[in-house]
Amino acid sequence: MSERKPVLLRLDPAVHEALARWAADDLRSLNAHIELLLRQALAKAGRAPRGAGPLPKRGRPAKGE
C-alpha cells in the first residue's frame, strides 16, 4: 500500500464532537471514521477512485504481523 497523505481539516467543534462520538460508537479512530465516510460519499456519487487501496483493518495487528 502506498504512503497515506496527511490532511489538515478544520471542523466546527460541534461537528468534531459528533464525529468523535460516532467513531467511538463504531470502535474506530476519528481519522478512520472520516476516511470511511468520505469513501462512502465518493462511491455514492459515482466518484470512487479506481486505484484506492482498501481501508486499513480495524483493531490491533495479529501476532506475527
Side-chain angles (χ1 to χ4, degrees):
M1 183 165 65
S2 62
E3 183 179 327
R4 302 185 68 75
K5 300 286 186 179
V7 175
L8 175 63
L9 181 62
R10 291 181 179 86
L11 296 173
D12 181 279
V15 171
H16 181 276
E17 182 59 32
L19 284 169
R21 281 193 313 269
W22 190 5
D25 289 347
D26 289 351
L27 302 176
R28 285 189 183 91
S29 69
L30 178 58
N31 190 71
H33 199 68
I34 290 170
E35 183 172 1
L36 174 76
L37 294 172
L38 289 171
R39 285 174 180 250
Q40 288 174 345
L42 285 166
K44 183 178 177 181
R47 296 178 172 266
R50 288 193 179 107
L55 280 171
K57 292 181 182 177
R58 291 170 58 183
R60 292 184 180 164
K63 289 185 178 180
E65 280 191 32

